[in-house]
Amino acid sequence: MNQDRVKEVAKGIYDIAPIALAAIPFGVLFGAVASVSNFNTQNTLLMSLLVYTGTMQMIGLHMISAGTHWLLILFASLVVNSRYLFYSAVLAPHLKSLSFWWRFALGYAMSDQIFILAERRYASRDSSTAKHWYMLTASFALLAVWILTTWIGFAFGNLFKQIQGVGLDFALCATYVALAAPLLVNPRTLIAGTSAGLLAVSLSDMPYQSGLFVSIAVGIAVGLIADRFLRDGRSGIVDEENP
């Protein structure tokens, strides 16, 4: 290994360590909920290995357990993971000189946290020519932690089956809330989120969990309408102040 490569590997381990530590409870939670939901070990570990996105794994697990049609699960996956198109567009100029297998490996192990670290590393002004080693090290270190904690959670989940009222179903719902709440930061997102949430509860009896997608579509439409009205309102105020 040349000096740049050694430094990038060491920095990747150093930077990913606190993020991997924070991911442990979510990996354990997913494994435990999968066990309680009667998934087997192979399917649970394959989901973490092949899907490898905590949000979609939680959503997909819930939808599969509820008997949702596979086309709706596929649609949910495309919607939830569409942000990776943005990630690839941002990082592509930095990775275009790498071989296909390098780009495949880095793309496979991409996650929200890795994108932030990689974008920050490539934006730094230094002479290192091995920044892809930083990204590779951080990516697969986090992936290893995720798969290991999934297995640990699944093992403990088998014990949780014998415990009444352990509250794993509530933990799953609480995780959804924790993921969504930080996004409700302005009137538009509050209106859209509230509309979608209330409608999802009202349509919860629809077959194949299809009410969820109706509520998402309505929430998006309401958010766009609210955004337009709010912008028009601000424009009217500006016009009145500057006749």
Side-chain angles (χ1 to χ4, degrees):
M1 280 193 178
N2 60 39
Q3 190 174 8
D4 279 349
R5 192 180 302 177
V6 172
K7 289 181 178 179
E8 294 296 341
V9 169
K11 184 170 178 56
I13 294 172
Y14 179 82
D15 286 352
I16 200 61
I19 295 174
L21 186 64
I24 289 174
F26 288 95
V28 172
L29 175 63
F30 170 73
V33 174
S35 177
V36 172
S37 300
N38 294 318
F39 272 53
N40 60 34
T41 307
Q42 292 81 2
N43 288 340
T44 302
L45 293 178
L46 278 174
M47 200 170 186
S48 279
L49 187 63
L50 299 179
V51 179
Y52 186 44
T53 165
T55 305
M56 190 56 223
Q57 285 180 230
M58 288 292 194
I59 294 173
L61 180 63
H62 176 70
M63 295 178 73
I64 293 171
S65 299
T68 306
H69 195 280
W70 68 269
L71 284 174
L72 293 177
I73 299 174
L74 177 62
F75 176 72
S77 181
L78 292 174
V79 171
V80 171
N81 294 324
S82 60
R83 66 191 186 280
Y84 286 96
L85 293 173
F86 167 76
Y87 295 169
S88 63
V90 172
L91 293 175
H94 304 297
L95 307 178
K96 62 182 180 181
S97 62
L98 300 177
S99 69
F100 167 80
W101 290 112
W102 260 104
R103 287 182 278 117
F104 178 83
L106 295 176
Y108 162 72
M110 176 57 59
S111 67
D112 299 324
Q113 302 93 328
I114 296 301
F115 168 74
I116 294 171
L117 291 179
E119 197 276 334
R120 186 177 66 187
R121 184 71 190 100
Y122 277 107
S124 63
R125 298 178 181 274
D126 58 54
S127 59
S128 174
T129 59
K131 293 179 181 178
H132 51 292
W133 280 94
Y134 169 89
M135 189 175 170
L136 183 75
T137 302
S139 297
F140 280 88
L142 185 60
L143 175 62
V145 169
W146 183 255
I147 293 173
L148 177 61
T149 54
T150 295
W151 179 79
I152 292 172
F154 187 88
F156 280 102
N158 287 326
L159 299 177
F160 291 156
K161 289 180 181 180
Q162 310 301 322
I163 304 174
Q164 296 297 322
V166 72
L168 287 177
D169 52 346
F170 172 77
L172 182 58
C173 295
T175 301
Y176 292 153
V177 173
L179 291 168
L183 303 177
L184 307 179
V185 296
N186 54 49
R188 178 190 62 186
T189 55
L190 282 170
I191 293 170
T194 302
S195 302
L198 291 174
L199 190 60
V201 172
S202 302
L203 302 179
S204 59
D205 291 333
M206 290 183 66
Y208 302 117
Q209 300 290 305
S210 53
L212 176 63
F213 297 96
V214 174
S215 65
I216 290 172
V218 171
I220 292 172
V222 169
L224 292 173
I225 294 170
D227 183 57
R228 180 170 181 176
F229 273 101
L230 290 170
R231 288 185 180 182
D232 290 344
R234 287 194 295 268
S235 298
I237 292 173
V238 172
D239 290 341
E240 289 178 3
E241 292 177 349
N242 301 285

